[in-house]
PDB file of all heavy atoms in Angstrom:
ATOM      1  N   LYS O   3      26.875 -49.176 -31.484  1.00 84.00           N
ATOM      2  CA  LYS O   3      26.511 -48.150 -30.500  1.00 84.00           C
ATOM      3  C   LYS O   3      25.265 -47.387 -30.960  1.00 84.00           C
ATOM      4  O   LYS O   3      24.423 -46.994 -30.146  1.00 84.00           O
ATOM      5  CB  LYS O   3      27.680 -47.197 -30.273  1.00 84.00           C
ATOM      6  CG  LYS O   3      28.871 -47.860 -29.586  1.00 84.00           C
ATOM      7  CD  LYS O   3      30.033 -46.890 -29.387  1.00 84.00           C
ATOM      8  CE  LYS O   3      31.210 -47.588 -28.714  1.00 84.00           C
ATOM      9  NZ  LYS O   3      32.364 -46.688 -28.510  1.00 84.00           N
ATOM     10  N   SER O   4      25.168 -47.198 -32.263  1.00 85.00           N
ATOM     11  CA  SER O   4      23.985 -46.553 -32.817  1.00 85.00           C
ATOM     12  C   SER O   4      22.741 -47.392 -32.563  1.00 85.00           C
ATOM     13  O   SER O   4      21.702 -46.888 -32.120  1.00 85.00           O
ATOM     14  CB  SER O   4      24.164 -46.337 -34.322  1.00 85.00           C
ATOM     15  OG  SER O   4      22.986 -45.848 -34.915  1.00 85.00           O
ATOM     16  N   GLN O   5      22.856 -48.679 -32.825  1.00 85.00           N
ATOM     17  CA  GLN O   5      21.719 -49.573 -32.603  1.00 85.00           C
ATOM     18  C   GLN O   5      21.403 -49.728 -31.117  1.00 85.00           C
ATOM     19  O   GLN O   5      20.245 -49.900 -30.748  1.00 85.00           O
ATOM     20  CB  GLN O   5      22.006 -50.940 -33.234  1.00 85.00           C
ATOM     21  CG  GLN O   5      21.895 -50.960 -34.736  1.00 85.00           C
ATOM     22  CD  GLN O   5      20.518 -50.576 -35.229  1.00 85.00           C
ATOM     23  OE1 GLN O   5      19.519 -50.760 -34.540  1.00 85.00           O
ATOM     24  NE2 GLN O   5      20.439 -50.020 -36.418  1.00 85.00           N
ATOM     25  N   PHE O   6      22.407 -49.658 -30.279  1.00 88.00           N
ATOM     26  CA  PHE O   6      22.175 -49.728 -28.831  1.00 88.00           C
ATOM     27  C   PHE O   6      21.286 -48.560 -28.398  1.00 88.00           C
ATOM     28  O   PHE O   6      20.295 -48.755 -27.671  1.00 88.00           O
ATOM     29  CB  PHE O   6      23.501 -49.684 -28.075  1.00 88.00           C
ATOM     30  CG  PHE O   6      23.347 -49.831 -26.587  1.00 88.00           C
ATOM     31  CD1 PHE O   6      23.441 -51.079 -25.980  1.00 88.00           C
ATOM     32  CD2 PHE O   6      23.089 -48.725 -25.791  1.00 88.00           C
ATOM     33  CE1 PHE O   6      23.277 -51.215 -24.606  1.00 88.00           C
ATOM     34  CE2 PHE O   6      22.929 -48.843 -24.419  1.00 88.00           C
ATOM     35  CZ  PHE O   6      23.023 -50.094 -23.827  1.00 88.00           C
ATOM     36  N   SER O   7      21.634 -47.360 -28.810  1.00 87.00           N
ATOM     37  CA  SER O   7      20.843 -46.183 -28.450  1.00 87.00           C
ATOM     38  C   SER O   7      19.424 -46.284 -28.976  1.00 87.00           C
ATOM     39  O   SER O   7      18.471 -45.864 -28.317  1.00 87.00           O
ATOM     40  CB  SER O   7      21.502 -44.905 -28.997  1.00 87.00           C
ATOM     41  OG  SER O   7      22.769 -44.710 -28.424  1.00 87.00           O
ATOM     42  N   LEU O   8      19.290 -46.859 -30.146  1.00 86.00           N
ATOM     43  CA  LEU O   8      17.980 -46.924 -30.792  1.00 86.00           C
ATOM     44  C   LEU O   8      17.101 -48.054 -30.271  1.00 86.00           C
ATOM     45  O   LEU O   8      15.869 -47.947 -30.269  1.00 86.00           O
ATOM     46  CB  LEU O   8      18.179 -47.093 -32.308  1.00 86.00           C
ATOM     47  CG  LEU O   8      17.054 -46.646 -33.234  1.00 86.00           C
ATOM     48  CD1 LEU O   8      16.773 -45.166 -33.062  1.00 86.00           C
ATOM     49  CD2 LEU O   8      17.421 -46.944 -34.677  1.00 86.00           C
ATOM     50  N   ASN O   9      17.715 -49.131 -29.770  1.00 89.00           N
ATOM     51  CA  ASN O   9      16.930 -50.337 -29.491  1.00 89.00           C
ATOM     52  C   ASN O   9      17.024 -50.907 -28.082  1.00 89.00           C
ATOM     53  O   ASN O   9      16.168 -51.721 -27.708  1.00 89.00           O
ATOM     54  CB  ASN O   9      17.331 -51.441 -30.482  1.00 89.00           C
ATOM     55  CG  ASN O   9      16.796 -51.186 -31.865  1.00 89.00           C
ATOM     56  OD1 ASN O   9      15.604 -51.280 -32.109  1.00 89.00           O
ATOM     57  ND2 ASN O   9      17.685 -50.824 -32.783  1.00 89.00           N
ATOM     58  N   PHE O  10      18.022 -50.537 -27.293  1.00 90.00           N
ATOM     59  CA  PHE O  10      18.166 -51.164 -25.983  1.00 90.00           C
ATOM     60  C   PHE O  10      16.981 -50.890 -25.075  1.00 90.00           C
ATOM     61  O   PHE O  10      16.586 -51.738 -24.272  1.00 90.00           O
ATOM     62  CB  PHE O  10      19.463 -50.699 -25.315  1.00 90.00           C
ATOM     63  CG  PHE O  10      19.745 -51.402 -24.016  1.00 90.00           C
ATOM     64  CD1 PHE O  10      20.020 -52.765 -23.994  1.00 90.00           C
ATOM     65  CD2 PHE O  10      19.725 -50.709 -22.815  1.00 90.00           C
ATOM     66  CE1 PHE O  10      20.269 -53.426 -22.790  1.00 90.00           C
ATOM     67  CE2 PHE O  10      19.980 -51.357 -21.611  1.00 90.00           C
ATOM     68  CZ  PHE O  10      20.249 -52.711 -21.602  1.00 90.00           C
ATOM     69  N   TRP O  11      16.382 -49.711 -25.192  1.00 91.00           N
ATOM     70  CA  TRP O  11      15.225 -49.389 -24.357  1.00 91.00           C
ATOM     71  C   TRP O  11      14.065 -50.350 -24.602  1.00 91.00           C
ATOM     72  O   TRP O  11      13.273 -50.634 -23.689  1.00 91.00           O
ATOM     73  CB  TRP O  11      14.772 -47.939 -24.596  1.00 91.00           C
ATOM     74  CG  TRP O  11      14.153 -47.680 -25.939  1.00 91.00           C
ATOM     75  CD1 TRP O  11      14.774 -47.262 -27.071  1.00 91.00           C
ATOM     76  CD2 TRP O  11      12.764 -47.808 -26.274  1.00 91.00           C
ATOM     77  NE1 TRP O  11      13.877 -47.135 -28.096  1.00 91.00           N
ATOM     78  CE2 TRP O  11      12.629 -47.455 -27.648  1.00 91.00           C
ATOM     79  CE3 TRP O  11      11.626 -48.186 -25.567  1.00 91.00           C
ATOM     80  CZ2 TRP O  11      11.409 -47.464 -28.300  1.00 91.00           C
ATOM     81  CZ3 TRP O  11      10.398 -48.199 -26.219  1.00 91.00           C
ATOM     82  CH2 TRP O  11      10.302 -47.842 -27.577  1.00 91.00           C
ATOM     83  N   LYS O  12      13.968 -50.874 -25.826  1.00 89.00           N
ATOM     84  CA  LYS O  12      12.883 -51.808 -26.151  1.00 89.00           C
ATOM     85  C   LYS O  12      13.056 -53.123 -25.392  1.00 89.00           C
ATOM     86  O   LYS O  12      12.071 -53.732 -24.946  1.00 89.00           O
ATOM     87  CB  LYS O  12      12.863 -52.080 -27.661  1.00 89.00           C
ATOM     88  CG  LYS O  12      12.636 -50.832 -28.493  1.00 89.00           C
ATOM     89  CD  LYS O  12      12.819 -51.108 -29.978  1.00 89.00           C
ATOM     90  CE  LYS O  12      12.738 -49.829 -30.797  1.00 89.00           C
ATOM     91  NZ  LYS O  12      13.020 -50.064 -32.229  1.00 89.00           N
ATOM     92  N   ILE O  13      14.316 -53.549 -25.246  1.00 90.00           N
ATOM     93  CA  ILE O  13      14.599 -54.777 -24.485  1.00 90.00           C
ATOM     94  C   ILE O  13      14.255 -54.574 -23.007  1.00 90.00           C
ATOM     95  O   ILE O  13      13.621 -55.428 -22.380  1.00 90.00           O
ATOM     96  CB  ILE O  13      16.080 -55.166 -24.654  1.00 90.00           C
ATOM     97  CG1 ILE O  13      16.403 -55.431 -26.132  1.00 90.00           C
ATOM     98  CG2 ILE O  13      16.423 -56.397 -23.805  1.00 90.00           C
ATOM     99  CD1 ILE O  13      17.884 -55.618 -26.426  1.00 90.00           C
ATOM    100  N   LEU O  14      14.653 -53.433 -22.459  1.00 90.00           N
ATOM    101  CA  LEU O  14      14.319 -53.121 -21.064  1.00 90.00           C
ATOM    102  C   LEU O  14      12.811 -53.018 -20.882  1.00 90.00           C
ATOM    103  O   LEU O  14      12.263 -53.446 -19.863  1.00 90.00           O
ATOM    104  CB  LEU O  14      14.982 -51.802 -20.653  1.00 90.00           C
ATOM    105  CG  LEU O  14      16.503 -51.785 -20.560  1.00 90.00           C
ATOM    106  CD1 LEU O  14      16.993 -50.375 -20.216  1.00 90.00           C
ATOM    107  CD2 LEU O  14      16.997 -52.774 -19.509  1.00 90.00           C
ATOM    108  N   PHE O  15      12.146 -52.461 -21.862  1.00 88.00           N
ATOM    109  CA  PHE O  15      10.694 -52.252 -21.789  1.00 88.00           C
ATOM    110  C   PHE O  15       9.939 -53.569 -21.664  1.00 88.00           C
ATOM    111  O   PHE O  15       9.084 -53.734 -20.790  1.00 88.00           O
ATOM    112  CB  PHE O  15      10.242 -51.476 -23.033  1.00 88.00           C
ATOM    113  CG  PHE O  15       8.772 -51.190 -23.083  1.00 88.00           C
ATOM    114  CD1 PHE O  15       8.165 -50.479 -22.063  1.00 88.00           C
ATOM    115  CD2 PHE O  15       8.008 -51.625 -24.149  1.00 88.00           C
ATOM    116  CE1 PHE O  15       6.798 -50.195 -22.109  1.00 88.00           C
ATOM    117  CE2 PHE O  15       6.658 -51.354 -24.215  1.00 88.00           C
ATOM    118  CZ  PHE O  15       6.048 -50.639 -23.188  1.00 88.00           C
ATOM    119  N   ILE O  16      10.256 -54.538 -22.527  1.00 86.00           N
ATOM    120  CA  ILE O  16       9.541 -55.815 -22.460  1.00 86.00           C
ATOM    121  C   ILE O  16       9.875 -56.565 -21.175  1.00 86.00           C
ATOM    122  O   ILE O  16       9.023 -57.242 -20.595  1.00 86.00           O
ATOM    123  CB  ILE O  16       9.831 -56.695 -23.711  1.00 86.00           C
ATOM    124  CG1 ILE O  16       8.977 -57.972 -23.683  1.00 86.00           C
ATOM    125  CG2 ILE O  16      11.303 -57.055 -23.813  1.00 86.00           C
ATOM    126  CD1 ILE O  16       7.498 -57.739 -23.628  1.00 86.00           C
ATOM    127  N   LEU O  17      11.122 -56.420 -20.696  1.00 87.00           N
ATOM    128  CA  LEU O  17      11.498 -57.086 -19.444  1.00 87.00           C
ATOM    129  C   LEU O  17      10.681 -56.541 -18.272  1.00 87.00           C
ATOM    130  O   LEU O  17      10.205 -57.311 -17.424  1.00 87.00           O
ATOM    131  CB  LEU O  17      12.997 -56.906 -19.172  1.00 87.00           C
ATOM    132  CG  LEU O  17      13.947 -57.693 -20.079  1.00 87.00           C
ATOM    133  CD1 LEU O  17      15.398 -57.336 -19.769  1.00 87.00           C
ATOM    134  CD2 LEU O  17      13.716 -59.192 -19.930  1.00 87.00           C
ATOM    135  N   THR O  18      10.493 -55.231 -18.218  1.00 85.00           N
ATOM    136  CA  THR O  18       9.693 -54.648 -17.128  1.00 85.00           C
ATOM    137  C   THR O  18       8.232 -55.082 -17.221  1.00 85.00           C
ATOM    138  O   THR O  18       7.585 -55.330 -16.203  1.00 85.00           O
ATOM    139  CB  THR O  18       9.771 -53.109 -17.153  1.00 85.00           C
ATOM    140  OG1 THR O  18       9.367 -52.622 -18.434  1.00 85.00           O
ATOM    141  CG2 THR O  18      11.173 -52.626 -16.855  1.00 85.00           C
ATOM    142  N   ILE O  19       7.725 -55.181 -18.434  1.00 81.00           N
ATOM    143  CA  ILE O  19       6.329 -55.621 -18.613  1.00 81.00           C
ATOM    144  C   ILE O  19       6.142 -57.052 -18.131  1.00 81.00           C
ATOM    145  O   ILE O  19       5.194 -57.366 -17.401  1.00 81.00           O
ATOM    146  CB  ILE O  19       5.906 -55.510 -20.098  1.00 81.00           C
ATOM    147  CG1 ILE O  19       5.746 -54.042 -20.492  1.00 81.00           C
ATOM    148  CG2 ILE O  19       4.585 -56.243 -20.333  1.00 81.00           C
ATOM    149  CD1 ILE O  19       5.377 -53.841 -21.940  1.00 81.00           C
ATOM    150  N   LEU O  20       7.055 -57.930 -18.533  1.00 81.00           N
ATOM    151  CA  LEU O  20       6.917 -59.349 -18.185  1.00 81.00           C
ATOM    152  C   LEU O  20       7.216 -59.615 -16.710  1.00 81.00           C
ATOM    153  O   LEU O  20       6.580 -60.461 -16.088  1.00 81.00           O
ATOM    154  CB  LEU O  20       7.834 -60.192 -19.072  1.00 81.00           C
ATOM    155  CG  LEU O  20       7.508 -60.183 -20.574  1.00 81.00           C
ATOM    156  CD1 LEU O  20       8.519 -61.011 -21.349  1.00 81.00           C
ATOM    157  CD2 LEU O  20       6.091 -60.697 -20.827  1.00 81.00           C
ATOM    158  N   ILE O  21       8.172 -58.883 -16.149  1.00 81.00           N
ATOM    159  CA  ILE O  21       8.541 -59.106 -14.742  1.00 81.00           C
ATOM    160  C   ILE O  21       7.491 -58.533 -13.803  1.00 81.00           C
ATOM    161  O   ILE O  21       7.069 -59.175 -12.848  1.00 81.00           O
ATOM    162  CB  ILE O  21       9.925 -58.483 -14.442  1.00 81.00           C
ATOM    163  CG1 ILE O  21      11.016 -59.269 -15.183  1.00 81.00           C
ATOM    164  CG2 ILE O  21      10.205 -58.504 -12.931  1.00 81.00           C
ATOM    165  CD1 ILE O  21      12.385 -58.610 -15.112  1.00 81.00           C
ATOM    166  N   PHE O  22       7.038 -57.292 -14.112  1.00 76.00           N
ATOM    167  CA  PHE O  22       6.105 -56.620 -13.213  1.00 76.00           C
ATOM    168  C   PHE O  22       4.649 -56.753 -13.650  1.00 76.00           C
ATOM    169  O   PHE O  22       3.755 -56.120 -13.108  1.00 76.00           O
ATOM    170  CB  PHE O  22       6.476 -55.139 -13.077  1.00 76.00           C
ATOM    171  CG  PHE O  22       7.843 -54.928 -12.501  1.00 76.00           C
ATOM    172  CD1 PHE O  22       8.907 -54.544 -13.312  1.00 76.00           C
ATOM    173  CD2 PHE O  22       8.085 -55.139 -11.156  1.00 76.00           C
ATOM    174  CE1 PHE O  22      10.184 -54.357 -12.789  1.00 76.00           C
ATOM    175  CE2 PHE O  22       9.358 -54.959 -10.619  1.00 76.00           C
ATOM    176  CZ  PHE O  22      10.404 -54.570 -11.439  1.00 76.00           C
ATOM    177  N   LYS O  23       4.435 -57.571 -14.690  1.00 65.00           N
ATOM    178  CA  LYS O  23       3.091 -57.918 -15.149  1.00 65.00           C
ATOM    179  C   LYS O  23       2.269 -56.742 -15.678  1.00 65.00           C
ATOM    180  O   LYS O  23       1.041 -56.795 -15.675  1.00 65.00           O
ATOM    181  CB  LYS O  23       2.309 -58.636 -14.030  1.00 65.00           C
ATOM    182  CG  LYS O  23       2.928 -59.938 -13.579  1.00 65.00           C
ATOM    183  CD  LYS O  23       3.070 -60.919 -14.731  1.00 65.00           C
ATOM    184  CE  LYS O  23       3.685 -62.234 -14.290  1.00 65.00           C
ATOM    185  NZ  LYS O  23       3.907 -63.160 -15.412  1.00 65.00           N
ATOM    186  N   PHE O  24       2.943 -55.683 -16.120  1.00 60.00           N
ATOM    187  CA  PHE O  24       2.296 -54.607 -16.865  1.00 60.00           C
ATOM    188  C   PHE O  24       1.169 -53.914 -16.091  1.00 60.00           C
ATOM    189  O   PHE O  24       0.077 -54.411 -15.961  1.00 60.00           O
ATOM    190  CB  PHE O  24       1.744 -55.158 -18.190  1.00 60.00           C
ATOM    191  CG  PHE O  24       1.193 -54.076 -19.082  1.00 60.00           C
ATOM    192  CD1 PHE O  24       2.031 -53.321 -19.874  1.00 60.00           C
ATOM    193  CD2 PHE O  24      -0.166 -53.831 -19.123  1.00 60.00           C
ATOM    194  CE1 PHE O  24       1.522 -52.346 -20.702  1.00 60.00           C
ATOM    195  CE2 PHE O  24      -0.686 -52.851 -19.947  1.00 60.00           C
ATOM    196  CZ  PHE O  24       0.161 -52.111 -20.741  1.00 60.00           C
ATOM    197  N   ASP O  25       1.475 -52.750 -15.590  1.00 61.00           N
ATOM    198  CA  ASP O  25       0.475 -51.968 -14.886  1.00 61.00           C
ATOM    199  C   ASP O  25       0.262 -50.642 -15.599  1.00 61.00           C
ATOM    200  O   ASP O  25      -0.767 -50.419 -16.208  1.00 61.00           O
ATOM    201  CB  ASP O  25       0.917 -51.756 -13.430  1.00 61.00           C
ATOM    202  CG  ASP O  25      -0.101 -51.000 -12.625  1.00 61.00           C
ATOM    203  OD1 ASP O  25      -1.285 -50.965 -13.045  1.00 61.00           O
ATOM    204  OD2 ASP O  25       0.268 -50.420 -11.603  1.00 61.00           O
ATOM    205  N   ASP O  26       1.262 -49.777 -15.542  1.00 69.00           N
ATOM    206  CA  ASP O  26       1.203 -48.489 -16.218  1.00 69.00           C
ATOM    207  C   ASP O  26       2.308 -48.444 -17.268  1.00 69.00           C
ATOM    208  O   ASP O  26       3.478 -48.247 -16.958  1.00 69.00           O
ATOM    209  CB  ASP O  26       1.383 -47.362 -15.195  1.00 69.00           C
ATOM    210  CG  ASP O  26       1.037 -46.005 -15.793  1.00 69.00           C
ATOM    211  OD1 ASP O  26       1.022 -45.891 -17.033  1.00 69.00           O
ATOM    212  OD2 ASP O  26       0.780 -45.065 -15.024  1.00 69.00           O
ATOM    213  N   VAL O  27       1.948 -48.617 -18.522  1.00 74.00           N
ATOM    214  CA  VAL O  27       2.917 -48.784 -19.600  1.00 74.00           C
ATOM    215  C   VAL O  27       3.842 -47.577 -19.746  1.00 74.00           C
ATOM    216  O   VAL O  27       5.032 -47.722 -20.023  1.00 74.00           O
ATOM    217  CB  VAL O  27       2.193 -49.076 -20.936  1.00 74.00           C
ATOM    218  CG1 VAL O  27       1.318 -47.932 -21.363  1.00 74.00           C
ATOM    219  CG2 VAL O  27       3.197 -49.418 -22.023  1.00 74.00           C
ATOM    220  N   ILE O  28       3.321 -46.373 -19.549  1.00 77.00           N
ATOM    221  CA  ILE O  28       4.131 -45.183 -19.764  1.00 77.00           C
ATOM    222  C   ILE O  28       5.234 -45.051 -18.721  1.00 77.00           C
ATOM    223  O   ILE O  28       6.321 -44.560 -19.010  1.00 77.00           O
ATOM    224  CB  ILE O  28       3.240 -43.919 -19.797  1.00 77.00           C
ATOM    225  CG1 ILE O  28       3.965 -42.748 -20.495  1.00 77.00           C
ATOM    226  CG2 ILE O  28       2.784 -43.529 -18.418  1.00 77.00           C
ATOM    227  CD1 ILE O  28       4.121 -42.906 -21.959  1.00 77.00           C
ATOM    228  N   VAL O  29       4.990 -45.516 -17.486  1.00 82.00           N
ATOM    229  CA  VAL O  29       6.013 -45.480 -16.439  1.00 82.00           C
ATOM    230  C   VAL O  29       7.164 -46.408 -16.798  1.00 82.00           C
ATOM    231  O   VAL O  29       8.344 -46.050 -16.693  1.00 82.00           O
ATOM    232  CB  VAL O  29       5.426 -45.864 -15.074  1.00 82.00           C
ATOM    233  CG1 VAL O  29       6.531 -46.016 -14.029  1.00 82.00           C
ATOM    234  CG2 VAL O  29       4.425 -44.820 -14.610  1.00 82.00           C
ATOM    235  N   TYR O  30       6.838 -47.619 -17.234  1.00 82.00           N
ATOM    236  CA  TYR O  30       7.865 -48.575 -17.650  1.00 82.00           C
ATOM    237  C   TYR O  30       8.645 -48.046 -18.849  1.00 82.00           C
ATOM    238  O   TYR O  30       9.852 -48.250 -18.976  1.00 82.00           O
ATOM    239  CB  TYR O  30       7.231 -49.915 -17.997  1.00 82.00           C
ATOM    240  CG  TYR O  30       6.637 -50.632 -16.812  1.00 82.00           C
ATOM    241  CD1 TYR O  30       5.522 -51.451 -16.959  1.00 82.00           C
ATOM    242  CD2 TYR O  30       7.175 -50.494 -15.539  1.00 82.00           C
ATOM    243  CE1 TYR O  30       4.971 -52.115 -15.873  1.00 82.00           C
ATOM    244  CE2 TYR O  30       6.633 -51.143 -14.456  1.00 82.00           C
ATOM    245  CZ  TYR O  30       5.533 -51.957 -14.623  1.00 82.00           C
ATOM    246  OH  TYR O  30       4.993 -52.601 -13.536  1.00 82.00           O
ATOM    247  N   LEU O  31       7.936 -47.361 -19.742  1.00 85.00           N
ATOM    248  CA  LEU O  31       8.573 -46.783 -20.921  1.00 85.00           C
ATOM    249  C   LEU O  31       9.600 -45.727 -20.518  1.00 85.00           C
ATOM    250  O   LEU O  31      10.730 -45.718 -21.015  1.00 85.00           O
ATOM    251  CB  LEU O  31       7.507 -46.168 -21.824  1.00 85.00           C
ATOM    252  CG  LEU O  31       7.986 -45.526 -23.129  1.00 85.00           C
ATOM    253  CD1 LEU O  31       8.600 -46.566 -24.046  1.00 85.00           C
ATOM    254  CD2 LEU O  31       6.845 -44.809 -23.820  1.00 85.00           C
ATOM    255  N   ILE O  32       9.236 -44.855 -19.601  1.00 88.00           N
ATOM    256  CA  ILE O  32      10.134 -43.786 -19.156  1.00 88.00           C
ATOM    257  C   ILE O  32      11.362 -44.360 -18.459  1.00 88.00           C
ATOM    258  O   ILE O  32      12.496 -43.919 -18.699  1.00 88.00           O
ATOM    259  CB  ILE O  32       9.391 -42.805 -18.228  1.00 88.00           C
ATOM    260  CG1 ILE O  32       8.380 -41.991 -19.041  1.00 88.00           C
ATOM    261  CG2 ILE O  32      10.376 -41.866 -17.530  1.00 88.00           C
ATOM    262  CD1 ILE O  32       7.463 -41.137 -18.203  1.00 88.00           C
ATOM    263  N   ILE O  33      11.164 -45.345 -17.595  1.00 89.00           N
ATOM    264  CA  ILE O  33      12.289 -45.988 -16.907  1.00 89.00           C
ATOM    265  C   ILE O  33      13.265 -46.587 -17.925  1.00 89.00           C
ATOM    266  O   ILE O  33      14.486 -46.420 -17.817  1.00 89.00           O
ATOM    267  CB  ILE O  33      11.794 -47.074 -15.942  1.00 89.00           C
ATOM    268  CG1 ILE O  33      11.029 -46.433 -14.781  1.00 89.00           C
ATOM    269  CG2 ILE O  33      12.961 -47.902 -15.401  1.00 89.00           C
ATOM    270  CD1 ILE O  33      10.317 -47.425 -13.889  1.00 89.00           C
ATOM    271  N   SER O  34      12.720 -47.277 -18.921  1.00 90.00           N
ATOM    272  CA  SER O  34      13.549 -47.906 -19.955  1.00 90.00           C
ATOM    273  C   SER O  34      14.323 -46.862 -20.761  1.00 90.00           C
ATOM    274  O   SER O  34      15.516 -47.030 -21.054  1.00 90.00           O
ATOM    275  CB  SER O  34      12.668 -48.731 -20.895  1.00 90.00           C
ATOM    276  OG  SER O  34      11.933 -49.700 -20.180  1.00 90.00           O
ATOM    277  N   LEU O  35      13.654 -45.767 -21.120  1.00 92.00           N
ATOM    278  CA  LEU O  35      14.300 -44.709 -21.890  1.00 92.00           C
ATOM    279  C   LEU O  35      15.396 -44.017 -21.079  1.00 92.00           C
ATOM    280  O   LEU O  35      16.486 -43.729 -21.599  1.00 92.00           O
ATOM    281  CB  LEU O  35      13.257 -43.680 -22.347  1.00 92.00           C
ATOM    282  CG  LEU O  35      12.266 -44.149 -23.419  1.00 92.00           C
ATOM    283  CD1 LEU O  35      11.155 -43.111 -23.594  1.00 92.00           C
ATOM    284  CD2 LEU O  35      12.963 -44.395 -24.751  1.00 92.00           C
ATOM    285  N   MET O  36      15.134 -43.744 -19.797  1.00 92.00           N
ATOM    286  CA  MET O  36      16.115 -43.070 -18.949  1.00 92.00           C
ATOM    287  C   MET O  36      17.399 -43.892 -18.798  1.00 92.00           C
ATOM    288  O   MET O  36      18.508 -43.361 -18.913  1.00 92.00           O
ATOM    289  CB  MET O  36      15.511 -42.773 -17.570  1.00 92.00           C
ATOM    290  CG  MET O  36      14.480 -41.668 -17.572  1.00 92.00           C
ATOM    291  SD  MET O  36      13.805 -41.316 -15.935  1.00 92.00           S
ATOM    292  CE  MET O  36      15.190 -40.500 -15.161  1.00 92.00           C
ATOM    293  N   LEU O  37      17.246 -45.177 -18.549  1.00 92.00           N
ATOM    294  CA  LEU O  37      18.417 -46.043 -18.401  1.00 92.00           C
ATOM    295  C   LEU O  37      19.212 -46.114 -19.704  1.00 92.00           C
ATOM    296  O   LEU O  37      20.451 -46.096 -19.701  1.00 92.00           O
ATOM    297  CB  LEU O  37      17.981 -47.452 -17.967  1.00 92.00           C
ATOM    298  CG  LEU O  37      17.519 -47.599 -16.521  1.00 92.00           C
ATOM    299  CD1 LEU O  37      16.929 -48.978 -16.289  1.00 92.00           C
ATOM    300  CD2 LEU O  37      18.676 -47.352 -15.554  1.00 92.00           C
ATOM    301  N   SER O  38      18.515 -46.164 -20.828  1.00 91.00           N
ATOM    302  CA  SER O  38      19.186 -46.234 -22.129  1.00 91.00           C
ATOM    303  C   SER O  38      19.936 -44.944 -22.441  1.00 91.00           C
ATOM    304  O   SER O  38      21.041 -44.977 -22.996  1.00 91.00           O
ATOM    305  CB  SER O  38      18.159 -46.523 -23.230  1.00 91.00           C
ATOM    306  OG  SER O  38      17.603 -47.811 -23.066  1.00 91.00           O
ATOM    307  N   VAL O  39      19.349 -43.798 -22.098  1.00 91.00           N
ATOM    308  CA  VAL O  39      20.023 -42.511 -22.304  1.00 91.00           C
ATOM    309  C   VAL O  39      21.304 -42.447 -21.470  1.00 91.00           C
ATOM    310  O   VAL O  39      22.365 -42.017 -21.952  1.00 91.00           O
ATOM    311  CB  VAL O  39      19.090 -41.335 -21.927  1.00 91.00           C
ATOM    312  CG1 VAL O  39      19.884 -40.031 -21.805  1.00 91.00           C
ATOM    313  CG2 VAL O  39      17.998 -41.183 -22.972  1.00 91.00           C
ATOM    314  N   PHE O  40      21.214 -42.880 -20.221  1.00 92.00           N
ATOM    315  CA  PHE O  40      22.361 -42.860 -19.313  1.00 92.00           C
ATOM    316  C   PHE O  40      23.514 -43.704 -19.864  1.00 92.00           C
ATOM    317  O   PHE O  40      24.666 -43.256 -19.925  1.00 92.00           O
ATOM    318  CB  PHE O  40      21.931 -43.383 -17.942  1.00 92.00           C
ATOM    319  CG  PHE O  40      23.033 -43.422 -16.923  1.00 92.00           C
ATOM    320  CD1 PHE O  40      23.444 -42.256 -16.281  1.00 92.00           C
ATOM    321  CD2 PHE O  40      23.671 -44.620 -16.609  1.00 92.00           C
ATOM    322  CE1 PHE O  40      24.472 -42.289 -15.344  1.00 92.00           C
ATOM    323  CE2 PHE O  40      24.695 -44.661 -15.677  1.00 92.00           C
ATOM    324  CZ  PHE O  40      25.095 -43.497 -15.038  1.00 92.00           C
ATOM    325  N   ILE O  41      23.207 -44.919 -20.308  1.00 91.00           N
ATOM    326  CA  ILE O  41      24.246 -45.814 -20.821  1.00 91.00           C
ATOM    327  C   ILE O  41      24.786 -45.304 -22.156  1.00 91.00           C
ATOM    328  O   ILE O  41      26.007 -45.339 -22.408  1.00 91.00           O
ATOM    329  CB  ILE O  41      23.703 -47.250 -20.976  1.00 91.00           C
ATOM    330  CG1 ILE O  41      23.245 -47.808 -19.608  1.00 91.00           C
ATOM    331  CG2 ILE O  41      24.767 -48.170 -21.570  1.00 91.00           C
ATOM    332  CD1 ILE O  41      22.516 -49.117 -19.698  1.00 91.00           C
ATOM    333  N   SER O  42      23.904 -44.796 -23.022  1.00 87.00           N
ATOM    334  CA  SER O  42      24.325 -44.305 -24.335  1.00 87.00           C
ATOM    335  C   SER O  42      25.289 -43.140 -24.214  1.00 87.00           C
ATOM    336  O   SER O  42      26.229 -43.011 -25.015  1.00 87.00           O
ATOM    337  CB  SER O  42      23.102 -43.872 -25.154  1.00 87.00           C
ATOM    338  OG  SER O  42      22.293 -44.981 -25.474  1.00 87.00           O
TER     339      SER O  42
END
């Protein structure tokens, strides 16, 4: 659970970059962090 909180956002981050072809990195970063906080 500790590692999930620390690292799951990174997995979401790369998925958004590859799926949406990377436009605004900070927006994808925030989305990834928000979802990880919610699940954690």
Side-chain angles (χ1 to χ4, degrees):
K3 293 179 181 180
S4 174
Q5 285 300 333
F6 183 93
S7 297
L8 204 60
N9 286 290
F10 185 66
W11 70 268
K12 300 172 186 175
I13 299 171
L14 293 177
F15 180 58
I16 185 58
L17 289 176
T18 56
I19 288 178
L20 296 178
I21 291 172
F22 299 105
K23 299 302 180 184
F24 186 82
D25 182 20
D26 192 341
V27 63
I28 200 71
V29 172
Y30 293 148
L31 181 64
I32 290 172
I33 292 171
S34 303
L35 290 170
M36 288 181 72
L37 287 172
S38 294
V39 166
F40 179 78
I41 299 171
S42 293

